[in-house]
């Protein structure tokens, strides 16, 4: 397999509209070619345990997922040597202070509130990949 084509960004999100918005922004930043989307927390964990996951540079994570919550997935990520330092950007409709505190404790890089705006996605993508903010038209 061509090393340059391996998955570099994982999106764990079950809302197709949010996936579409994020993919448009990743494409705009020339980061859309090496993205995998998984809509289930347990399936995401299974993927993260594979050798292919060692090529990831970022994970966009929803907190409300089928079969395993985003917080549970994040706890497992931070407890696993191979992927513990993976940069994670949380995208959530939760406004729970407990969720925010837990995400802070688990070293989340960015915490984006839903409904997600184009500007919020732009800022998260720009800061994660050290790109200029493309929110301006």
């Amino acid at each position: 397999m061509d090393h340059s084509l391996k998955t570099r960004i994982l999106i764990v999100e079950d809302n197709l509209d949010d996936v579409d918005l994020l993919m448009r922004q990743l494409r705009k930043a020339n980061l859309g070619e090496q993205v995998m989307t998984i809509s289930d927390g347990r399936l995401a964990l299974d993927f993260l345990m594979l050798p292919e996951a060692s090529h990831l540079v970022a994970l966009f994570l929803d907190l409300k997922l089928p079969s395993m919550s985003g917080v549970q997935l994040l706890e497992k990520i931070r407890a696993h040597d191979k992927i513990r330092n993976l940069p994670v950007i949380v995208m959530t409709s939760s406004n729970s202070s407990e969720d925010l505190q837990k995400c802070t404790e688990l070293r989340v890089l960015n915490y984006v509130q839903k409904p997600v705006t184009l500007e919020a996605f732009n800022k998260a993508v720009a800061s994660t990949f050290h790109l200029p903010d493309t929110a301006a038209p």
Side-chain angles (χ1 to χ4, degrees):
M1 177 180 221
D2 181 354
H3 182 79
S4 65
L5 297 179
K6 292 186 177 179
T7 300
R8 306 284 291 162
I9 300 167
L10 178 62
I11 300 171
V12 183
E13 169 65 69
D14 61 338
N15 181 308
L16 294 178
D17 291 335
D18 290 337
V19 169
D20 183 56
L21 181 59
L22 180 54
M23 283 301 301
R24 279 187 282 155
Q25 292 315 107
L26 290 172
R27 280 190 215 101
K28 200 185 230 186
N30 295 318
L31 297 167
E33 296 301 314
Q34 301 169 3
V35 178
M36 175 182 278
T37 303
I38 300 175
S39 62
D40 178 274
R42 193 162 308 284
L43 293 176
L45 181 62
D46 291 346
F47 174 76
L48 288 166
M49 295 301 114
L50 296 173
E52 297 86 74
S54 66
H55 299 288
L56 290 175
V57 296
L59 166 64
F60 288 85
L61 177 64
D62 184 15
L63 293 185
K64 296 181 191 300
L65 295 165
S67 80
M68 176 187 292
S69 77
V71 170
Q72 291 170 317
L73 178 59
L74 192 51
E75 288 172 338
K76 292 186 181 303
I77 289 169
R78 295 303 185 229
H80 197 280
D81 286 342
K82 183 178 87 165
I83 53 176
R84 95 169 7 130
N85 294 316
L86 179 63
V88 176
I89 301 91
V90 166
M91 304 169 302
T92 185
S93 56
S94 172
N95 58 4
S96 158
S97 60
E98 291 171 6
D99 283 345
L100 181 56
Q101 180 180 351
K102 192 69 173 166
C103 286
T104 300
E105 290 170 10
L106 292 167
R107 301 183 336 268
V108 166
L109 190 62
N110 271 300
Y111 190 91
V112 180
Q113 283 290 136
K114 291 181 183 179
V116 177
T117 64
L118 188 58
E119 181 180 355
F121 264 134
N122 282 337
K123 287 183 186 303
V125 170
S127 67
T128 301
F129 298 103
H130 309 290
L131 301 169
D133 187 350
T134 59

